[in-house]
């Protein structure tokens, strides 16, 4: 039986994509891979992974995950820096979801950095929740 497509919208199967990161079998090599894996963590309500991949100085005390959210998709608009040899990267994206039948859209330009050699989410540079 083959693995379903990854939640992050890559062309890969979940087992060959974000599942490797969520299960700590591997670590994202780019800021975009981290962004995609964090999206999958939101889909799966995986608070532990979100905390693990948030910059320690920025991680909020409470992460408000709504178990009634139905995530509809992730679209990467652009990336800059964020490769293996960089220590900082940016990923602009649009994520769509529904709660109680009402559609929501998050547009964000996220900043990522490396901590202990691994990519982590630092902050939103621009954010619009419509």
């Amino acid at each position: 039986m083959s693995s379903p497509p990854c939640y992050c919208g890559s062309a890969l199967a979940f087992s060959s994509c974000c599942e490797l990161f969520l299960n700590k079998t591997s670590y994202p090599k780019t800021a975009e891979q981290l962004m995609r894996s964090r999206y999958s963590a939101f889909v799966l309500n995986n608070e532990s992974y979100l905390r693990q991949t948030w910059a320690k100085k920025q991680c909020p005390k409470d992460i408000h995950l709504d178990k009634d959210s139905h995530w509809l998709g992730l679209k990467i608009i652009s990336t800059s820096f964020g490769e293996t040899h960089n220590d900082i990267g940016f990923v602009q994206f649009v994520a769509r979801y529904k709660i109680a039948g009402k559609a929501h859209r998050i547009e964000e330009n996220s900043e990522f950095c490396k901590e202990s050699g691994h990519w982590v989410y630092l902050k939103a540079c621009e954010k619009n929740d419509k």
Side-chain angles (χ1 to χ4, degrees):
M1 186 171 145
S2 66
S3 177
C6 194
Y7 301 104
C8 77
S10 73
L12 301 173
F14 179 62
S15 62
S16 301
C17 194
C18 292
E19 186 175 40
L20 298 170
F21 308 132
L22 295 171
N23 289 342
K24 302 176 189 168
T25 304
S26 184
Y27 292 100
K29 292 179 178 48
T30 66
E32 181 178 340
Q33 283 182 334
L34 179 64
M35 173 62 235
R36 289 181 177 280
S37 68
R38 285 177 56 84
Y39 174 83
S40 291
F42 274 102
V43 171
L44 298 169
N45 288 301
N46 187 334
E47 183 176 340
S48 173
Y49 184 77
L50 292 170
R51 286 192 179 287
Q52 170 197 332
T53 58
W54 217 307
K56 290 181 183 12
K57 64 182 179 180
Q58 300 287 40
C59 188
K61 181 179 176 185
D62 295 313
I63 298 175
H64 302 285
L65 296 177
D66 191 331
K67 296 196 186 321
D68 293 327
S69 294
H70 177 70
W71 291 89
L72 304 171
L74 173 69
K75 180 178 179 184
I76 302 296
I77 306 298
S78 67
T79 61
S80 54
F81 307 107
E83 300 300 322
T84 304
H85 60 280
N86 298 117
D87 288 333
I88 193 162
F90 299 89
V91 179
Q92 183 179 6
F93 70 92
V94 174
R96 298 176 306 108
Y97 64 100
K98 282 187 176 182
I99 297 177
K102 184 177 181 197
H104 298 271
R105 174 182 162 113
I106 300 170
E107 294 180 53
E108 184 173 306
N109 186 20
S110 297
E111 184 175 348
F112 298 85
C113 65
K114 285 187 179 175
E115 281 184 357
S116 303
H118 299 292
W119 285 106
V120 292
Y121 172 74
L122 184 61
K123 64 181 179 178
C125 300
E126 301 166 14
K127 186 175 179 181
N128 298 314
D129 187 0
K130 298 176 181 174

